[in-house]
Amino acid sequence: ELGMIGRGEDAEITTYLEQAMTSELQGNVIDLCPVGALTSKPFAFQARPWELTKTESIDVMDAVGSAIRVDSRGREVMRILPRVNEAVNEEWISDKTRFIWDGLRTQRLDRPYVRKDGRLVAASWAEAFAAIKDAVSKTAPEKIGAIAGDLAAVEETYALKLLMASLGSKNTDCRQDGAALDPALGRASYIFNPTIEGIEQADAVLIIGANPRYEASVLNARIRKRWRTGNLPVGVIGDVGDTRYDYEQLGAGPDSLKDLADGNGKFFQTLKKATHPLIIVGQGALARADGAAVLGQAAKLAAAVNAARADWNGFAVLHNAAGRVGGLDLGFVPGEGGRNVAGMLGEMELLFLLGADEIDMAKTGGAFVVYIGTHGDQGAHRANVILPAAAYTEKSATYVNTEGRVQQTNRAGFAPGEAREDWAILRALSDVLGKKLPFDSLPQLRAKLYGEYPHLARIDQVAAGNAEDIAEVAKLGGRLNKGTFTSPVKDFYLTNPIARASAVMAECSALAKSGFKQAAE
């Protein structure tokens, strides 16, 4: 996609006329350029490298958990670069990870707001908490719900879980899209069991309802790397488009999957003969009315081709939300008799949204909405009370990636204005509500968290799922619907509030929609 035009001193490295580069990993060219001629356009002339404070952290734009370095000056993040982590992202990061930084400072929520007479008015923390206390006192526990968003870290999700339990509510959910994943089925039922590095061992791959290119670009590069070494048959069920490697289209929806799980077709034999078969199940297959039945069929297929065994577990759930696996690990799902996201919308009188922006706000009905988040996105527009929180570069927070690897971000700067860390907001709110949470500092919170969930203390390690759980998941019945599996990521560049606040991402999105055509400059 890049070449040279001109000769001698007029030589220029550029794209083809009126074309832009089409890769989601093109920013890595900046790091690869040996002489610094290919530079980062958004970062050019912004800062000198020696002025920047460098902080090692973790990316949350997708569920891969790429290792990054955040370069900041004062409070502002100036650029984001990759760090080497052979087990996760090697030395690559996606363009969304790299160029998101301008979105961290635009459209930020920097003080609490309370809705009065239909308009959001700036308020003090005390006024915001008083409004919530008033709403809680008027609401029955079974009419209070909480939804954790895609970027919610383990600490604040845990604090919210404890707060909801103290209020007597069982309506908690971290699956905004309604994916049919349940921690009760065991950890192996919702993580990428073979691990990202394990992709390089695979000798046959089946992708169900996912487009890894947009949902986990760096992970997709790992599949392509394995495919380039030769002898990797790839089968796909669902509508995925160009994945950057050859594949065989095996069908569109659940019927094709059931047919394969029943042992029919040539690709079934390919998987059966493979020593390390890999079955990737995407959220596009699980976030449907028949998601549980689809998960059951995928597990049944894994069992039939002996993909889930003691020495190799090739059953892989591909997530696209950084906070999802952590939420499932904590059991942030409806308790007995509790409602899930779909059940909460329109039924709750009081709704806590922990950075949850990807739900249909129109369906919240007349609920009193408390939004804890970082950007003026859909959740903030709908909220009755806004509590400004810290973004991933502004707090030390734990995230669990799609393969179940526990990772921690580090604070590169402080949140703007009166914004505070999410767990601290919930702790202060619990005091006002008279349900004081049992910790006063982050170390105290983590001590309690690690006591309940010991695997979360093992940073950069994967607590492996039990391969035997897959056989249990295979028993999930249910009716399969018609309809094609499609990827939930419609626009790679605009998948979360930080991305939607970024001017660079908006420009990339517009370019992608125009087919990467641009006017010749």
Side-chain angles (χ1 to χ4, degrees):
E1 295 192 341
L2 282 177
M4 187 172 79
I5 58 169
R7 289 285 179 273
E9 64 181 23
D10 297 323
E12 190 182 335
I13 307 290
T14 183
T15 53
Y16 291 97
L17 287 178
E18 299 187 12
Q19 276 289 112
M21 286 177 74
T22 58
S23 168
E24 295 72 42
L25 298 162
Q26 58 184 292
N28 293 295
V29 172
I30 300 163
D31 303 334
L32 293 173
C33 181
V35 296
L38 297 170
T39 54
S40 169
K41 195 172 176 182
F43 177 66
F45 315 116
Q46 296 281 328
R48 302 285 183 198
W50 58 84
E51 300 172 345
L52 303 174
T53 307
K54 299 161 182 67
T55 311
E56 295 192 343
S57 193
I58 297 298
D59 171 56
V60 299
M61 290 301 114
D62 54 28
V64 175
S66 303
I68 57 171
R69 191 185 92 193
V70 180
D71 288 5
S72 53
R73 186 175 61 191
R75 276 174 178 254
E76 287 191 9
V77 173
M78 303 306 287
R79 68 175 173 183
I80 293 172
L81 299 172
R83 280 189 299 128
V84 174
N85 183 344
E86 294 297 348
V88 181
N89 58 313
E90 297 174 289
E91 59 268 271
W92 317 119
I93 51 173
S94 77
D95 293 345
K96 192 160 42 170
T97 302
R98 186 184 296 266
F99 297 120
I100 197 79
W101 49 268
D102 65 320
L104 287 163
R105 54 177 181 240
T106 45
Q107 298 188 357
R108 283 302 298 269
L109 301 171
D110 59 357
R111 56 183 310 167
Y113 288 86
V114 176
R115 194 177 289 279
K116 290 178 182 166
D117 304 322
R119 291 183 59 220
L120 285 166
V121 183
S124 67
W125 279 102
E127 287 167 345
F129 284 164
I132 298 168
K133 184 180 181 181
D134 183 47
V136 170
S137 65
K138 294 177 187 164
T139 312
E142 60 274 11
K143 289 289 183 186
I144 300 176
I147 302 171
D150 290 355
L151 305 182
V154 168
E155 285 85 354
E156 55 253 30
T157 308
Y158 179 62
L160 184 56
K161 184 185 178 188
L162 295 181
L163 180 63
M164 293 302 288
S166 69
L167 292 172
S169 169
K170 301 213 171 135
N171 307 313
T172 56
D173 206 348
C174 63
R175 304 160 303 185
Q176 285 188 90
D177 54 5
L181 293 167
D182 189 348
L185 295 168
R187 199 167 197 245
S189 72
Y190 61 82
I191 63 171
F192 200 94
N193 290 290
T195 72
I196 296 170
E197 213 171 8
I199 291 170
E200 297 188 25
Q201 280 181 271
D203 45 8
V205 177
L206 173 66
I207 300 172
I208 304 164
N211 184 345
R213 179 180 161 190
Y214 297 129
E215 292 170 38
S217 305
V218 175
L219 183 143
N220 195 53
R222 193 79 82 138
I223 301 176
R224 178 175 158 80
K225 177 184 177 185
R226 168 65 189 88
W227 171 78
R228 279 188 59 111
T229 61
N231 305 327
L232 182 71
V234 181
V236 167
I237 299 177
D239 175 21
V240 299
D242 180 10
T243 54
R244 303 295 195 188
Y245 39 81
D246 297 337
Y247 62 84
E248 185 187 340
Q249 187 77 44
L250 303 173
D255 293 346
S256 311
L257 174 60
K258 186 176 188 316
D259 201 39
L260 204 58
D262 289 341
N264 301 323
K266 202 163 72 178
F267 204 81
F268 178 83
Q269 296 306 325
T270 305
L271 287 169
K272 194 149 179 71
K273 283 183 197 138
T275 48
H276 296 112
L278 172 57
I279 296 168
I280 299 175
V281 188
Q283 302 303 302
L286 301 173
R288 301 164 38 115
D290 60 348
V294 170
L295 185 69
Q297 289 295 335
K300 183 180 162 189
L301 174 60
V305 299
N306 198 23
R309 51 184 199 263
D311 63 324
W312 168 260
N313 188 345
F315 183 79
V317 176
L318 180 63
H319 289 271
N320 45 33
R324 186 69 51 85
V325 179
L328 291 168
D329 275 355
L330 294 172
F332 198 80
V333 293
E336 202 174 321
R339 290 175 177 269
N340 62 8
V341 169
M344 282 188 236
L345 295 179
E347 294 295 322
M348 295 294 116
E349 289 170 20
L350 175 60
L351 204 52
F352 287 95
L353 300 182
L354 185 60
D357 289 277
E358 317 305 322
I359 57 173
D360 186 351
M361 296 297 163
K363 290 186 178 169
T364 52
F368 186 93
V369 175
V370 178
Y371 179 74
I372 304 167
T374 56
H375 285 72
D377 209 75
Q378 293 154 26
H381 282 285
R382 169 61 188 86
N384 295 81
V385 175
I386 295 174
L387 304 176
Y392 71 105
T393 53
E394 297 155 0
K395 59 189 175 189
S396 170
T398 307
Y399 287 91
V400 186
N401 79 349
T402 190
E403 59 183 350
R405 184 180 299 274
V406 182
Q407 299 176 303
Q408 266 181 8
T409 63
N410 285 312
R411 175 189 280 157
F414 287 91
E418 294 175 42
R420 296 287 178 269
E421 291 184 39
D422 310 61
W423 71 266
I425 294 171
L426 291 162
R427 163 66 183 76
L429 175 62
S430 70
D431 214 352
V432 173
L433 297 177
K435 309 281 187 189
K436 191 171 168 185
L437 293 175
F439 47 81
D440 297 322
S441 65
L442 190 57
Q444 285 178 1
L445 184 158
R446 285 188 174 150
K448 190 166 170 53
L449 176 70
Y450 298 159
E452 261 185 85
Y453 307 97
H455 74 279
L456 293 172
R458 296 195 282 277
I459 304 301
D460 205 37
Q461 290 181 31
V462 179
N466 184 354
E468 290 164 17
D469 291 342
I470 305 301
E472 288 301 307
V473 180
K475 294 175 186 166
L476 284 176
R479 209 172 120 256
L480 293 165
N481 300 342
K482 295 275 184 269
T484 307
F485 294 141
T486 55
S487 169
V489 178
K490 299 288 177 269
D491 188 333
F492 169 74
Y493 298 101
L494 304 176
T495 52
N496 60 55
I498 304 174
R500 290 190 283 269
S502 162
V504 178
M505 291 295 108
E507 202 175 323
C508 291
S509 171
L511 258 179
K513 283 189 181 124
S514 67
F516 292 99
K517 292 275 188 288
Q518 60 183 20
E521 289 175 11

mmCIF file of all heavy atoms in Angstrom, residues 475-497:
data_model
loop_
_atom_site.group_PDB
_atom_site.id
_atom_site.type_symbol
_atom_site.label_atom_id
_atom_site.label_comp_id
_atom_site.label_asym_id
_atom_site.label_seq_id
_atom_site.Cartn_x
_atom_site.Cartn_y
_atom_site.Cartn_z
ATOM 1 N N LYS A 475 -24.115 -29.252 26.720
ATOM 2 C CA LYS A 475 -25.466 -29.741 27.014
ATOM 3 C C LYS A 475 -26.521 -28.635 26.938
ATOM 4 O O LYS A 475 -27.706 -28.889 27.093
ATOM 5 C CB LYS A 475 -25.495 -30.365 28.418
ATOM 6 C CG LYS A 475 -24.637 -31.635 28.516
ATOM 7 C CD LYS A 475 -24.603 -32.152 29.936
ATOM 8 C CE LYS A 475 -23.637 -33.339 30.059
ATOM 9 N NZ LYS A 475 -23.337 -33.661 31.455
ATOM 10 N N LEU A 476 -26.061 -27.376 26.744
ATOM 11 C CA LEU A 476 -27.018 -26.264 26.660
ATOM 12 C C LEU A 476 -27.923 -26.476 25.454
ATOM 13 O O LEU A 476 -27.459 -26.553 24.317
ATOM 14 C CB LEU A 476 -26.287 -24.920 26.484
ATOM 15 C CG LEU A 476 -25.619 -24.308 27.709
ATOM 16 C CD1 LEU A 476 -24.860 -23.048 27.318
ATOM 17 C CD2 LEU A 476 -26.638 -23.975 28.780
ATOM 18 N N GLY A 477 -29.198 -26.571 25.718
ATOM 19 C CA GLY A 477 -30.140 -26.766 24.606
ATOM 20 C C GLY A 477 -30.721 -25.440 24.165
ATOM 21 O O GLY A 477 -30.136 -24.389 24.371
ATOM 22 N N GLY A 478 -31.884 -25.507 23.577
ATOM 23 C CA GLY A 478 -32.557 -24.284 23.148
ATOM 24 C C GLY A 478 -32.753 -24.257 21.655
ATOM 25 O O GLY A 478 -32.084 -24.959 20.902
ATOM 26 N N ARG A 479 -33.716 -23.431 21.247
ATOM 27 C CA ARG A 479 -34.049 -23.359 19.837
ATOM 28 C C ARG A 479 -33.088 -22.419 19.114
ATOM 29 O O ARG A 479 -32.776 -21.339 19.605
ATOM 30 C CB ARG A 479 -35.480 -22.829 19.697
ATOM 31 C CG ARG A 479 -36.168 -23.344 18.451
ATOM 32 C CD ARG A 479 -37.649 -22.986 18.404
ATOM 33 N NE ARG A 479 -37.886 -22.194 17.211
ATOM 34 C CZ ARG A 479 -38.068 -20.884 17.229
ATOM 35 N NH1 ARG A 479 -38.048 -20.228 18.362
ATOM 36 N NH2 ARG A 479 -38.273 -20.214 16.124
ATOM 37 N N LEU A 480 -32.613 -22.850 17.960
ATOM 38 C CA LEU A 480 -31.744 -21.998 17.147
ATOM 39 C C LEU A 480 -32.606 -21.186 16.186
ATOM 40 O O LEU A 480 -33.526 -21.722 15.568
ATOM 41 C CB LEU A 480 -30.755 -22.856 16.356
ATOM 42 C CG LEU A 480 -29.700 -23.598 17.192
ATOM 43 C CD1 LEU A 480 -29.031 -24.681 16.368
ATOM 44 C CD2 LEU A 480 -28.661 -22.640 17.741
ATOM 45 N N ASN A 481 -32.306 -19.906 16.078
ATOM 46 C CA ASN A 481 -33.057 -19.052 15.161
ATOM 47 C C ASN A 481 -32.407 -19.062 13.779
ATOM 48 O O ASN A 481 -31.310 -19.563 13.603
ATOM 49 C CB ASN A 481 -33.094 -17.607 15.684
ATOM 50 C CG ASN A 481 -33.753 -17.521 17.040
ATOM 51 O OD1 ASN A 481 -34.469 -18.432 17.445
ATOM 52 N ND2 ASN A 481 -33.513 -16.433 17.747
ATOM 53 N N LYS A 482 -33.117 -18.462 12.844
ATOM 54 C CA LYS A 482 -32.514 -18.231 11.527
ATOM 55 C C LYS A 482 -31.690 -16.950 11.627
ATOM 56 O O LYS A 482 -31.578 -16.349 12.674
ATOM 57 C CB LYS A 482 -33.618 -18.062 10.479
ATOM 58 C CG LYS A 482 -34.446 -19.328 10.287
ATOM 59 C CD LYS A 482 -33.780 -20.255 9.289
ATOM 60 C CE LYS A 482 -34.637 -21.471 9.005
ATOM 61 N NZ LYS A 482 -34.331 -22.598 9.904
ATOM 62 N N GLY A 483 -31.163 -16.508 10.547
ATOM 63 C CA GLY A 483 -30.438 -15.235 10.566
ATOM 64 C C GLY A 483 -28.940 -15.440 10.560
ATOM 65 O O GLY A 483 -28.417 -16.363 11.161
ATOM 66 N N THR A 484 -28.253 -14.538 9.866
ATOM 67 C CA THR A 484 -26.802 -14.620 9.704
ATOM 68 C C THR A 484 -26.077 -14.092 10.939
ATOM 69 O O THR A 484 -26.530 -13.142 11.555
ATOM 70 C CB THR A 484 -26.394 -13.774 8.471
ATOM 71 O OG1 THR A 484 -27.169 -14.205 7.368
ATOM 72 C CG2 THR A 484 -24.928 -13.917 8.136
ATOM 73 N N PHE A 485 -24.947 -14.718 11.274
ATOM 74 C CA PHE A 485 -24.069 -14.167 12.322
ATOM 75 C C PHE A 485 -23.349 -12.961 11.728
ATOM 76 O O PHE A 485 -22.723 -13.070 10.681
ATOM 77 C CB PHE A 485 -22.995 -15.185 12.744
ATOM 78 C CG PHE A 485 -23.532 -16.412 13.435
ATOM 79 C CD1 PHE A 485 -22.984 -17.665 13.187
ATOM 80 C CD2 PHE A 485 -24.574 -16.325 14.346
ATOM 81 C CE1 PHE A 485 -23.459 -18.802 13.828
ATOM 82 C CE2 PHE A 485 -25.055 -17.455 14.996
ATOM 83 C CZ PHE A 485 -24.503 -18.693 14.733
ATOM 84 N N THR A 486 -23.426 -11.819 12.410
ATOM 85 C CA THR A 486 -22.671 -10.649 11.940
ATOM 86 C C THR A 486 -21.849 -10.089 13.091
ATOM 87 O O THR A 486 -22.233 -10.215 14.253
ATOM 88 C CB THR A 486 -23.605 -9.531 11.406
ATOM 89 O OG1 THR A 486 -24.554 -9.220 12.434
ATOM 90 C CG2 THR A 486 -24.340 -9.973 10.157
ATOM 91 N N SER A 487 -20.742 -9.465 12.768
ATOM 92 C CA SER A 487 -19.868 -8.896 13.806
ATOM 93 C C SER A 487 -20.561 -7.711 14.478
ATOM 94 O O SER A 487 -21.210 -6.903 13.812
ATOM 95 C CB SER A 487 -18.557 -8.430 13.181
ATOM 96 O OG SER A 487 -17.834 -7.662 14.128
ATOM 97 N N PRO A 488 -20.430 -7.587 15.800
ATOM 98 C CA PRO A 488 -21.048 -6.444 16.484
ATOM 99 C C PRO A 488 -20.335 -5.121 16.208
ATOM 100 O O PRO A 488 -20.879 -4.062 16.453
ATOM 101 C CB PRO A 488 -20.920 -6.816 17.970
ATOM 102 C CG PRO A 488 -19.798 -7.781 18.045
ATOM 103 C CD PRO A 488 -19.761 -8.507 16.745
ATOM 104 N N VAL A 489 -19.099 -5.194 15.708
ATOM 105 C CA VAL A 489 -18.346 -3.957 15.446
ATOM 106 C C VAL A 489 -18.677 -3.452 14.041
ATOM 107 O O VAL A 489 -18.201 -3.971 13.040
ATOM 108 C CB VAL A 489 -16.821 -4.182 15.587
ATOM 109 C CG1 VAL A 489 -16.045 -2.916 15.263
ATOM 110 C CG2 VAL A 489 -16.494 -4.641 17.004
ATOM 111 N N LYS A 490 -19.535 -2.430 14.008
ATOM 112 C CA LYS A 490 -19.947 -1.872 12.711
ATOM 113 C C LYS A 490 -18.946 -0.827 12.222
ATOM 114 O O LYS A 490 -18.725 -0.655 11.046
ATOM 115 C CB LYS A 490 -21.333 -1.227 12.831
ATOM 116 C CG LYS A 490 -22.433 -2.201 13.248
ATOM 117 C CD LYS A 490 -22.787 -3.179 12.123
ATOM 118 C CE LYS A 490 -23.814 -4.191 12.558
ATOM 119 N NZ LYS A 490 -23.260 -5.429 13.110
ATOM 120 N N ASP A 491 -18.365 -0.076 13.167
ATOM 121 C CA ASP A 491 -17.362 0.927 12.806
ATOM 122 C C ASP A 491 -16.177 0.774 13.752
ATOM 123 O O ASP A 491 -16.248 1.129 14.928
ATOM 124 C CB ASP A 491 -17.962 2.332 12.923
ATOM 125 C CG ASP A 491 -17.029 3.412 12.373
ATOM 126 O OD1 ASP A 491 -15.799 3.201 12.381
ATOM 127 O OD2 ASP A 491 -17.527 4.461 11.922
ATOM 128 N N PHE A 492 -15.092 0.223 13.247
ATOM 129 C CA PHE A 492 -13.900 -0.073 14.052
ATOM 130 C C PHE A 492 -13.422 1.131 14.857
ATOM 131 O O PHE A 492 -12.958 1.008 15.984
ATOM 132 C CB PHE A 492 -12.784 -0.561 13.124
ATOM 133 C CG PHE A 492 -11.425 -0.642 13.781
ATOM 134 C CD1 PHE A 492 -11.141 -1.656 14.680
ATOM 135 C CD2 PHE A 492 -10.439 0.297 13.502
ATOM 136 C CE1 PHE A 492 -9.894 -1.736 15.295
ATOM 137 C CE2 PHE A 492 -9.190 0.225 14.110
ATOM 138 C CZ PHE A 492 -8.924 -0.800 15.008
ATOM 139 N N TYR A 493 -13.562 2.328 14.276
ATOM 140 C CA TYR A 493 -12.956 3.512 14.894
ATOM 141 C C TYR A 493 -13.833 4.171 15.963
ATOM 142 O O TYR A 493 -13.362 5.044 16.684
ATOM 143 C CB TYR A 493 -12.623 4.544 13.807
ATOM 144 C CG TYR A 493 -11.620 4.023 12.806
ATOM 145 C CD1 TYR A 493 -12.025 3.562 11.559
ATOM 146 C CD2 TYR A 493 -10.273 3.957 13.123
ATOM 147 C CE1 TYR A 493 -11.101 3.058 10.645
ATOM 148 C CE2 TYR A 493 -9.342 3.452 12.219
ATOM 149 C CZ TYR A 493 -9.766 3.001 10.982
ATOM 150 O OH TYR A 493 -8.857 2.505 10.098
ATOM 151 N N LEU A 494 -15.108 3.783 16.069
ATOM 152 C CA LEU A 494 -16.017 4.482 16.990
ATOM 153 C C LEU A 494 -16.747 3.505 17.909
ATOM 154 O O LEU A 494 -17.966 3.462 17.927
ATOM 155 C CB LEU A 494 -17.043 5.308 16.195
ATOM 156 C CG LEU A 494 -16.482 6.325 15.196
ATOM 157 C CD1 LEU A 494 -17.613 6.992 14.431
ATOM 158 C CD2 LEU A 494 -15.642 7.387 15.900
ATOM 159 N N THR A 495 -15.997 2.734 18.697
ATOM 160 C CA THR A 495 -16.650 1.676 19.473
ATOM 161 C C THR A 495 -16.894 2.022 20.936
ATOM 162 O O THR A 495 -17.546 1.264 21.635
ATOM 163 C CB THR A 495 -15.805 0.389 19.441
ATOM 164 O OG1 THR A 495 -14.473 0.724 19.824
ATOM 165 C CG2 THR A 495 -15.789 -0.238 18.061
ATOM 166 N N ASN A 496 -16.363 3.140 21.417
ATOM 167 C CA ASN A 496 -16.566 3.483 22.824
ATOM 168 C C ASN A 496 -16.528 5.007 22.994
ATOM 169 O O ASN A 496 -16.188 5.733 22.064
ATOM 170 C CB ASN A 496 -15.516 2.793 23.709
ATOM 171 C CG ASN A 496 -14.101 3.201 23.333
ATOM 172 O OD1 ASN A 496 -13.764 4.375 23.304
ATOM 173 N ND2 ASN A 496 -13.261 2.228 23.024
ATOM 174 N N PRO A 497 -16.894 5.520 24.185
ATOM 175 C CA PRO A 497 -16.988 6.974 24.374
ATOM 176 C C PRO A 497 -15.683 7.723 24.091
ATOM 177 O O PRO A 497 -15.718 8.830 23.560
ATOM 178 C CB PRO A 497 -17.365 7.114 25.854
ATOM 179 C CG PRO A 497 -18.002 5.828 26.217
ATOM 180 C CD PRO A 497 -17.339 4.786 25.379
#
